[in-house]
């Protein structure tokens, strides 16, 4: 089974890591090695000493996390928290997983996708929070929290509102006589991109990670499998998504071709904030950069629109977003009760400084006004606040959290990349995605 193979692979990595550490002697091979006779760093503190917790997350410390732990540490001398940053990519997540498997100091950690959570639960790394009965996650975070349950259990707390949206150069829209949309389709975005592109530039840009969001917005509602249990990746709107984005790359030249984006490692946020591209598909973390006028000076106002839909009927549309930053407690932590106290405080408003980086607290008991003040700071007049409030709080579209197994996401990405790179037809691409998805289904029944 795939689950067993993933765990076995990680366990093998842990074994190799342990052997290498053992071969390195008492020098630099093991950062957590303790002098002979001393307690390891993760051991329970002696009477009178503060408990020391380590929290791992993907946000740079200066973008909110350090202010959060500084505030906690000032108020709680008996429990002191250190923040460790890992980069939220494959290499960074492997570093976190290895640290937990090898018993390094990880008490709390942030998951950024449900697939990461699932793997860590399978590996026995995330604590079942059902052991704690003094905090009602459903009541605090609302019904969207249930998207993060695994077999009906919470192995973490979703702490943030995580809207995705299209950021717009409001000045460019005004000059073109275009309105800020509140409900639109990808065909309409395509027309905007053609009208807004400048000579030698693009009208619309995005990271490669949300490329596939349009089909997930369809299949999260319609189902990734059909009634007979076979793949639904040949849904008609999958082909529409492939052909629409490819046409924007090749015919309209209004968005970067995939090959160019991969080879140039295009800094899409910088391209948008410099005014070179007037539309950017992104999430709320954009504000971490757009509030930073030192590194990203700009002379235009930013407006916000919901991510467009493929479906003709708005009632059939769900959008990526909802909640995020799912924080778990390591099953190997020797300070689980202390970690739980910090996590509750964090979720109910202690995380307010994170809003400066676009991370608004999800808890109903958090001070949203304080979070909004932190979100906008002294830059409120550089945003179209009405459209910001709409995408953050008032967009009526239901949301989904991507829950497709990582193996399926990787397989379909490998196939649609061939199409966007011009080495495979659209029909062959769909057939290959379906074939590989069906193989995964058969292997995991």
């Amino acid at each position: 089974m795939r689950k067993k193979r993933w765990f076995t692979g990680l366990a093998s990595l842990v074994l190799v890591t342990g052997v290498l550490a053992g071969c390195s002697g008492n020098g630099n091979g093991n950062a957590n090695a303790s002098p002979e006779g001393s307690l390891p760093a993760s051991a329970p503190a002696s009477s009178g000493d503060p408990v020391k917790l380590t929290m791992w997350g993907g946000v740079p410390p200066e973008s909110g996390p350090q202010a959060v732990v500084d505030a906690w540490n000032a108020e709680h001398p008996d429990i002191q928290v250190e923040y460790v940053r890992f980069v939220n990519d494959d290499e960074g997540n492997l570093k976190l997983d290895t640290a937990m498997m090898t018993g390094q100091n990880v008490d709390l950690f942030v998951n950024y996708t449900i697939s990461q959570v699932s793997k860590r639960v399978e590996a026995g790394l995330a604590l079942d929070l059902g052991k704690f009965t003094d905090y009602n996650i459903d009541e605090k975070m609302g019904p969207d929290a249930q998207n993060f349950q695994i077999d009906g259990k919470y192995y973490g707390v979703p702490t943030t509102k995580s809207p995705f949206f299209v950021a717009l150069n409001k000045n460019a829209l005004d000059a073109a006589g275009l309105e800020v949309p509140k409900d639109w389709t990808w065909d309409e975005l395509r027309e905007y991109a053609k009208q807004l592109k400048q000579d030698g530039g693009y009208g619309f840009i995005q990271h490669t990670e949300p490329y596939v969001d349009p089909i997930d917005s369809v299949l999260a509602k319609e189902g990734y499998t059909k009634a007979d249990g076979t793949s639904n990746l040949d849904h008609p709107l999958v082909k529409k998504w492939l052909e629409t984005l490819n046409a924007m790359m090749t015919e309209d030249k209004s968005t970067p071709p995939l090959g160019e984006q991969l080879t140039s490692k295009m800094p899409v946020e910088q391209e948008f904030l410099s005014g070179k591209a007037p539309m950017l598909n992104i999430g709320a973390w954009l504000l971490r950069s757009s509030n930073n006028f030192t590194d990203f000076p700009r002379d235009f106002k930013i407006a916000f629109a919901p991510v467009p839909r493929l479906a003709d009927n708005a009632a059939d549309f769900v959008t990526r977003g909802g909640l995020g930053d799912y924080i778990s407690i390591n099953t190997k932590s020797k300070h689980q009760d202390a970690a739980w106290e910090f996590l509750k405080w964090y979720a109910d408003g202690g995380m307010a400084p994170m809003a400066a980086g676009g991370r608004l607290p999800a808890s109903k008991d958090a001070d949203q006004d304080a979070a909004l003040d932190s979100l906008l700071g002294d830059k409120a007049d550089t945003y179209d606040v009405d459209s910001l409030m709409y995408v953050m709080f008032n967009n009526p579209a239901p949301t989904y959290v991507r829950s497709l197994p990582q193996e399926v996401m990787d397989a379909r990405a490998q196939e649609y990349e061939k199409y966007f790179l011009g080495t495979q037809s659209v029909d062959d691409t769909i057939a290959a995605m379906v074939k590989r998805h069906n193989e995964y289904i058969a292997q995991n029944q």
Side-chain angles (χ1 to χ4, degrees), residues 175-328:
L178 298 172
E179 296 182 354
V180 178
K182 284 191 173 181
D183 172 47
W184 57 340
T185 65
W186 277 98
D187 288 337
E188 290 170 326
L189 180 141
R190 182 181 175 185
E191 291 303 314
Y192 268 54
K194 286 193 287 187
Q195 292 187 55
L196 290 169
K197 72 172 184 175
Q198 303 170 358
D199 292 340
Y202 298 109
F204 172 74
I205 56 176
Q206 58 184 330
H207 292 285
T208 56
E209 193 274 341
Y211 265 28
V212 76
D213 286 358
I215 66 169
D216 280 330
S217 74
V218 172
L219 300 183
K221 184 177 179 67
E222 299 284 338
Y224 287 96
T225 56
K226 301 173 184 175
D228 63 1
T230 60
S231 175
N232 200 19
L233 286 175
D234 56 357
H235 189 287
L237 289 179
V238 173
K239 186 172 185 178
K240 178 175 177 61
W241 163 70
L242 287 165
E243 292 181 328
T244 299
L245 186 55
N246 191 61
M248 291 177 68
M249 294 177 182
T250 58
E251 297 175 21
D252 306 341
K253 302 188 186 307
S254 62
T255 200
L258 176 59
E260 176 188 333
Q261 191 156 354
L262 293 176
T263 56
S264 69
K265 297 181 179 179
M266 180 178 291
V268 296
E269 292 175 46
Q270 182 175 327
E271 290 287 300
F272 172 74
L273 293 172
S274 68
K276 294 180 181 177
M279 295 195 298
L280 170 65
N281 185 18
I282 198 165
W285 66 88
L286 169 68
L287 281 88
R288 187 168 72 208
S289 299
S290 60
N291 282 337
N292 179 359
F293 274 51
T294 301
D295 296 325
F296 304 103
R298 59 183 167 89
D299 58 1
F300 62 89
K301 182 174 286 191
I302 298 177
F304 304 83
V307 176
R309 53 186 165 82
L310 282 171
D312 291 331
N313 188 350
D316 293 333
F317 178 59
V318 296
T319 186
R320 184 179 176 188
L323 305 180
D325 285 17
Y326 191 72
I327 302 181
S328 299

Side-chain angles (χ1 to χ4, degrees), residues 72-94:
W72 167 272
N73 290 342
E75 297 173 12
H76 301 84
D78 55 329
I79 302 174
Q80 296 289 284
V81 179
E82 177 188 2
Y83 180 77
V84 175
R85 195 240 175 149
F86 69 95
V87 178
N88 182 30
D89 57 14
D90 290 343
E91 183 178 350
N93 279 285
L94 180 59

Side-chain angles (χ1 to χ4, degrees), residues 88-148:
N88 182 30
D89 57 14
D90 290 343
E91 183 178 350
N93 279 285
L94 180 59
K95 178 181 178 181
L96 168 60
D97 292 334
T98 304
M100 288 192 285
M101 291 291 291
T102 55
Q104 299 177 46
N105 284 352
V106 184
D107 295 289
L108 302 111
F109 56 94
V110 187
N111 307 275
Y112 295 97
T113 68
I114 195 68
S115 61
Q116 291 169 354
V117 180
S118 298
K119 286 184 175 182
R120 288 161 184 162
V121 170
E122 292 165 11
L125 301 176
L127 184 69
D128 176 2
L129 299 185
K131 66 175 287 188
F132 303 111
T133 59
D134 59 339
Y135 192 91
N136 189 320
I137 296 173
D138 290 328
E139 180 183 317
K140 294 274 190 174
M141 307 301 174
D144 281 349
Q146 294 184 14
N147 290 327
F148 287 90

